[in-house]
Amino acid sequence: MRYINLRDLEVSRIGLGAMGMSHGYTGSGTDDAESVRTVHRALDLGVTLIDTAEIYGPYTNEELVGKALKGRREKVVLATKFGMVSHAGDGAWNLDSGPANIRTAVEGSLTRLGTDHIDLYYQHRVDPAVPIEETAGAVAELIAEGKVRAFGLSEAGPDSIRRAHAVQPVTAVQSEYSLWTRGIEERVLPVLRELNIGLVPFSPLGRGFLTGTLRSTDQFDASDFRRDNPRFTGENFQRNLAIADDVQALASEVGATPAQVALAWLLAQGDDIAPIPGTKRVSRVEENSAADAVTLTGEQLDRLSSLPPAAGDTHTEAQAQMLER
């Protein structure tokens, strides 16, 4: 496994997103033992960047990650997120990035994760009710106290990134980025490179679609949030199968899996990018980590970059209202 720097934080080139172990996908929360084995296998393979959030569950994913990292914490760049649980207000799925709420959130995360510091602490979504400068200042205080090592933003737009960075340097921005979700390329990515901020793409495999294993919405159980996602419903799903098929065809040429090809394309977009494909299975973390060794030719990269845009929005209307692009 190769390693890169997100600003001054060294991480594995490919990380691990832990959300689906507890939350959001078919089968989430049904086999914690396998999830723990998956985290351990990732560490054995050289993966160091592990990503979670207090809202996943809520709380249960941080507890699971904390359990998995017991005795192995020193090997990990541990990332979690705040701001989507209003602790003194309306509870989960309500934005609150006020300084007092951040104080409450960090103490809860530290306890659940079983650690005395968080390596990378993200604001999960920009809170329009709280000036970003106040949020950045609150995290700066936590950094000064040693509870947090680095500050991150998730799905933030250029203006918020600049304003936050002026108060407390931003180490990384997490945003959805993949072969079929490329909206950050025009406005966000240039700002990150100007300010020397790393990019951590989530859903780098298109929420599983780019693996080629999803052929029907009947594969989703009632708890799976993809059942309502525009790209996974109706005619959009059928149209998007063509993209997955094109990735599969190129993967066959390369002698790799579609997931590995999709990740290799992403890694080729820059040495300041560390995707966090999510999985709850040992076999998948082995497959994803091996993408670090897949090399694509310029012609192959161009073919992948020229794939048609995905049909349908990447979020529901309610989810999209929390995004800055």
Side-chain angles (χ1 to χ4, degrees):
M1 178 68 69
R2 291 175 294 165
Y3 297 84
I4 64 163
N5 287 323
L6 301 172
R7 200 169 185 86
D8 52 2
L9 198 63
E10 186 181 68
V11 300
S12 54
R13 193 80 165 98
I14 298 174
L16 173 62
M19 183 189 82
M21 296 177 180
S22 310
H23 169 87
Y25 289 96
T26 298
S28 294
T30 60
D31 193 345
D32 285 354
E34 174 68 2
S35 294
V36 169
R37 287 192 292 270
T38 298
V39 173
H40 290 171
R41 183 60 177 144
L43 299 181
D44 292 341
L45 293 167
V47 173
T48 62
L49 180 58
I50 309 293
D51 184 272
T52 181
E54 66 170 357
I55 191 61
Y56 300 158
Y59 311 130
T60 54
N61 194 240
E62 285 187 328
E63 293 169 351
L64 177 62
V65 170
K67 177 182 176 182
L69 295 183
K70 189 173 183 180
R72 304 186 71 169
R73 172 67 179 91
E74 74 283 354
K75 297 179 179 292
V76 173
V77 177
L78 182 55
T80 192
K81 310 176 200 71
F82 66 87
M84 291 189 74
V85 179
S86 181
H87 291 280
D90 296 325
W93 304 107
N94 289 280
L95 298 181
D96 189 344
S97 285
N101 198 63
I102 294 172
R103 283 278 171 185
T104 302
V106 75
E107 295 301 336
S109 290
L110 289 170
T111 298
R112 289 185 292 272
L113 292 166
T115 186
D116 63 356
H117 72 281
I118 293 162
D119 295 298
L120 181 54
Y121 202 34
Y122 291 101
Q123 181 191 38
H124 207 150
R125 293 290 185 271
V126 174
D127 182 355
V130 179
I132 194 73
E133 292 84 356
E134 290 187 18
T135 300
V139 176
E141 291 179 2
L142 297 177
I143 291 173
E145 295 168 13
K147 294 181 178 181
V148 170
R149 286 181 61 201
F151 177 36
L153 299 172
S154 181
E155 293 286 35
D159 181 61
S160 292
I161 294 168
R162 291 184 184 280
R163 288 166 54 201
H165 188 74
V167 175
Q168 168 61 45
V170 176
T171 291
V173 168
Q174 185 173 123
S175 193
E176 185 175 359
Y177 186 36
S178 70
L179 273 172
W180 77 342
T181 304
R182 300 177 59 182
I184 67 166
E185 290 180 339
E186 183 176 347
R187 298 179 65 244
V188 175
L189 197 49
V191 173
L192 301 187
R193 288 181 169 154
E194 174 192 339
L195 300 177
N196 187 29
I197 298 170
L199 174 64
V200 178
F202 69 84
S203 296
L205 300 178
R207 299 187 175 92
F209 210 109
L210 295 174
T211 67
T213 61
L214 297 176
R215 307 305 295 183
S216 169
T217 55
D218 292 339
Q219 294 173 249
F220 304 148
D221 68 23
S223 69
D224 200 311
F225 76 102
R226 291 173 295 184
R227 291 173 65 91
D228 298 323
N229 185 283
R231 291 190 178 178
F232 290 83
T233 55
E235 293 183 358
N236 289 342
F237 187 96
Q238 297 305 316
R239 292 174 182 169
N240 289 331
L241 285 175
I243 299 175
D245 290 343
D246 286 340
V247 176
Q248 172 71 71
L250 195 147
S252 297
E253 296 176 18
V254 174
T257 68
Q260 290 168 344
V261 164
L263 289 170
W265 175 87
L266 199 51
L267 295 176
Q269 305 311 303
D271 291 332
D272 52 357
I273 296 175
I276 48 169
T279 185
K280 53 185 180 291
R281 297 187 181 92
V282 169
S283 61
R284 290 298 184 192
V285 84
E286 292 175 340
E287 176 185 355
N288 294 340
S289 298
D292 184 53
V294 174
T295 300
L296 302 175
T297 67
E299 185 272 337
Q300 290 166 340
L301 290 169
D302 288 343
R303 282 165 57 189
L304 291 168
S305 296
S306 299
L307 290 173
D313 292 331
T314 186
H315 289 85
T316 64
E317 185 175 346
Q319 293 166 342
Q321 291 178 356
M322 292 187 181
L323 305 182
E324 287 191 349
R325 289 293 178 86

